């Protein structure tokens, strides 16, 4: 009798690991990276976010030693919402993908979020900026991780208006992201005693900004706010210099990335203010990770690429902690667990999916101030997360209890 009980106990113990493994579907967690691989946003996101994701997976496997496998798939959404939603649906329905991540371009993110909700899968948004993601279009399977238009406005627009740039004119990408960035920046300008003289919207993506810049020039505004991003921003800045706008009017790159500054050069961008969620040279931790990234990409990371690594790694930690890839269990764990890594300290994911963390107001250095490669920013201020992002009490997300 005793032998039979002992044998049964041993058999039960032997089966426990199998039961634990079975809680992760097919014993594999699959992460999809859906990004712009060759278009407007490919430098700030694109191949770099694929590399960052691989780094996160490799580091997680080495450091956390989970009892499940992790795989990655990738696709180019070409900044088109229909392509993105179709690919996400294919991944979720056919390929066993648990997470669609990165999702640069707001229209892409909003489209994929809907599919993720329908299929009860997770969307990790890093490259898109519109506050609609965590407000009117929020859902309980999406995390908006790296930055948003409210945080950008609360940094750059606030600083420039307080410094005397009281009249503004906006050059805006004509889609959800640009509209959101213009609206948030205008709100901050007015709140700080400034005035918006007007705006003009350009097609996305664009190449010839001459007619739009002429309207900005004719407005006489002290500040021309660029409510666009990627190559649109770079082309706007180049053409503004060619038309002689910049000596008379100050350009505000409301969403600029380290990669933009690198492409344009310090001579063109010196003195510009920008707001970022990450800078590679901020401290020992950021430098250590960024140098590892540099070894693979031969360039320093943008905030989107650093945020992609952090979001994927913390997602995988949550899967391990709850011993399941069940969407609701993982989301619940992530929302109750602080984020502490090289990207964010005491970051937290709110009920609306907004990951709140410190942002940084930076000024681009003059060429003679830069002492080594990629030494581009002077950090002028740290903006606490509670001040950078929309307070939860002001969120219009239905998930937020008032």
């Amino acid at each position: 009798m005793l032998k039979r009980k002992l044998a049964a106990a041993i058999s039960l113990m032997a089966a426990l690991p199998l039961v634990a493994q079975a809680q992760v579907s097919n014993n594999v967690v699959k992460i999809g990276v859906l990004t712009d691989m060759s278009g407007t946003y490919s430098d700030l996101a694109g191949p770099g976010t694929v590399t960052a994701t691989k780094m996160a997976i490799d580091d997680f496997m080495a450091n956390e030693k989970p009892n499940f496998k992790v795989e990655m798939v990738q696709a180019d959404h070409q900044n088109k919402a229909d392509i993105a939603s179709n690919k996400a649906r294919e991944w979720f329905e056919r390929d066993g993908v648990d997470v669609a991540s990165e999702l640069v371009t707001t229209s892409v993110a909003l489209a994929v979020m809907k599919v993720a909700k329908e299929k009860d899968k997770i969307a990790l948004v890093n490259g898109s900026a519109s506050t609609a993601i965590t407000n009117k279009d929020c859902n309980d399977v999406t995390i908006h991780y790296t930055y948003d238009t409210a945080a950008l406005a609360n940094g750059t627009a606030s600083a420039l208006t307080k410094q005397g740039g009281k009249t503004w004119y906006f050059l805006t990408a004509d889609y959800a992201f640009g509209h959101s960035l213009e609206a948030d920046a205008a709100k901050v300008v007015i709140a700080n005693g400034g005035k918006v003289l007007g705006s003009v919207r350009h097609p996305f993506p664009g190449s010839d900004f001459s007619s739009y810049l002429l309207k900005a020039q004719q407005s006489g505004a002290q500040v021309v706010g660029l409510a666009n991003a990627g190559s649109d921003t770079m082309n706007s800045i180049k053409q503004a210099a060619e038309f002689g706008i910049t000596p008379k009017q100050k350009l505000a790159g409301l969403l600029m990335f380290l990669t933009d500054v690198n492409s344009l050069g310090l001579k063109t961008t010196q003195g510009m203010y920008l707001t970022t969620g990450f800078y590679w040279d901020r401290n020992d931790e950021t430098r250590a990770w960024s140098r590892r990234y540099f070894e693979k990409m031969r360039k320093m990371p943008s905030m989107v690429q650093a945020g992609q690594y952090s979001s994927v790694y913390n997602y995988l930690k949550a899967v391990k902690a709850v011993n399941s890839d069940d969407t609701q269990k993982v989301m619940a764990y992530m929302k109750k667990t602080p984020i502490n890594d090289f990207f964010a300290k005491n970051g937290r994911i709110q009920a609306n999916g907004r990951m709140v963390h410190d942002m940084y107001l930076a000024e681009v250095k003059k060429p003679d101030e830069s002492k080594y490669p990629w030494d581009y920013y002077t950090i002028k201020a740290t903006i606490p997360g509670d001040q950078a992002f929309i307070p939860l009490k002001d969120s219009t997300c239905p998930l937020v209890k008032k």
Side-chain angles (χ1 to χ4, degrees), residues 141-154:
V141 299
T142 298
I143 296 172
H144 199 186
Y145 204 85
T146 303
Y147 68 103
D148 64 22
T149 54
L152 299 172
N154 285 330

Side-chain angles (χ1 to χ4, degrees), residues 274-343:
L274 57 90
T275 302
T276 184
F278 177 82
Y279 178 47
W280 78 270
D281 204 14
R282 195 172 61 82
N283 59 38
D284 289 344
E285 270 191 289
T286 58
R287 281 187 285 272
W289 183 84
S290 298
R291 284 169 179 154
R292 290 177 53 217
Y293 175 93
F294 184 88
E295 289 176 3
K296 299 177 183 297
M297 291 297 296
R298 310 315 299 173
K299 61 178 69 175
M300 287 300 178
S302 71
M303 65 171 161
V304 172
Q305 290 149 353
Q308 176 73 4
Y309 175 102
S310 178
S311 64
V312 169
Y313 195 105
N314 281 284
Y315 163 77
L316 291 172
K317 282 177 66 176
V319 172
K320 183 186 177 188
V322 300
N323 199 28
S324 173
D325 57 356
D326 177 84
T327 292
Q328 296 306 319
K329 290 179 181 178
V330 172
M331 287 293 294
Y333 183 88
M334 293 186 75
K335 285 182 176 180
K336 73 178 184 181
T337 307
I339 293 165
N340 285 292
D341 58 15
F342 74 94
F343 179 80

Side-chain angles (χ1 to χ4, degrees), residues 261 264-271 364-367:
V261 174
L264 290 166
L266 295 182
K267 185 178 179 181
T268 301
T269 56
Q270 60 183 309
V364 180
K365 291 184 174 184
K366 298 175 182 176

